[in-house]
Amino acid sequence: MIRFALALLLTATPVAAQSVKLQEYEITALLSGNTAVGVWEGAQYRQYFAPDGSTIYAQEGARSTLGEWRVQDGEYQSIWPNDADWEGWFVMEYAGDFFWVSKTTPPTVFAVIEGQQLVAE
């Protein structure tokens, strides 16, 4: 009987993971004072989100850019030099990974590193 129960447990399929849209307070807690790391349009990047609303975007082979960030209307938003308006993305979590999601771009995975870490160690 124990073998049967163990076999049943080992062959059972896991519950399907569901994506979760982060709430404003969760986005703020995730990003504020931390660095996002990922690949954007084929290039590796790091972006630091200062608690004062400033942000630094650093991409391999390019100059860093200073912008502003906020969480509003249920999404992360940023504005950069020469931008006319704020641009926003939902932040989703799926199976332990975070994703930037918008109506115009495919979901893009990123990781979060504690603190300001704009240079890879």
Side-chain angles (χ1 to χ4, degrees):
M1 181 68 173
I2 294 176
R3 284 186 182 163
F4 175 75
L6 183 58
L8 185 60
L9 181 63
L10 293 176
T11 59
T13 57
V15 175
Q18 293 185 353
S19 62
V20 176
K21 179 179 167 248
L22 272 59
Q23 301 296 312
E24 288 185 14
Y25 73 93
E26 294 171 311
I27 298 169
T28 300
L30 177 69
L31 299 179
S32 187
N34 294 320
T35 303
V37 179
V39 175
W40 192 263
E41 296 179 349
Q44 291 185 353
Y45 76 90
R46 289 174 176 259
Q47 184 174 350
Y48 174 67
F49 303 90
D52 69 1
S54 62
T55 185
I56 301 170
Y57 182 85
Q59 193 175 55
E60 282 190 356
R63 291 184 70 133
S64 297
T65 304
L66 179 62
E68 296 177 51
W69 76 283
R70 67 185 182 192
V71 179
Q72 187 171 306
D73 300 327
E75 61 187 15
Y76 154 77
Q77 298 179 351
S78 62
I79 191 164
W80 302 95
N82 302 320
D83 283 352
D85 293 311
W86 291 83
E87 191 170 0
W89 290 266
F90 295 114
V91 179
M92 306 287 291
E93 183 179 8
Y94 177 76
D97 291 323
F98 296 105
F99 293 84
W100 304 115
V101 180
S102 78
K103 293 178 182 175
T104 59
T105 58
T108 305
V109 68
F110 69 96
V112 175
I113 301 171
E114 190 173 329
Q116 183 177 347
Q117 298 191 41
L118 292 172
V119 178
E121 295 178 1

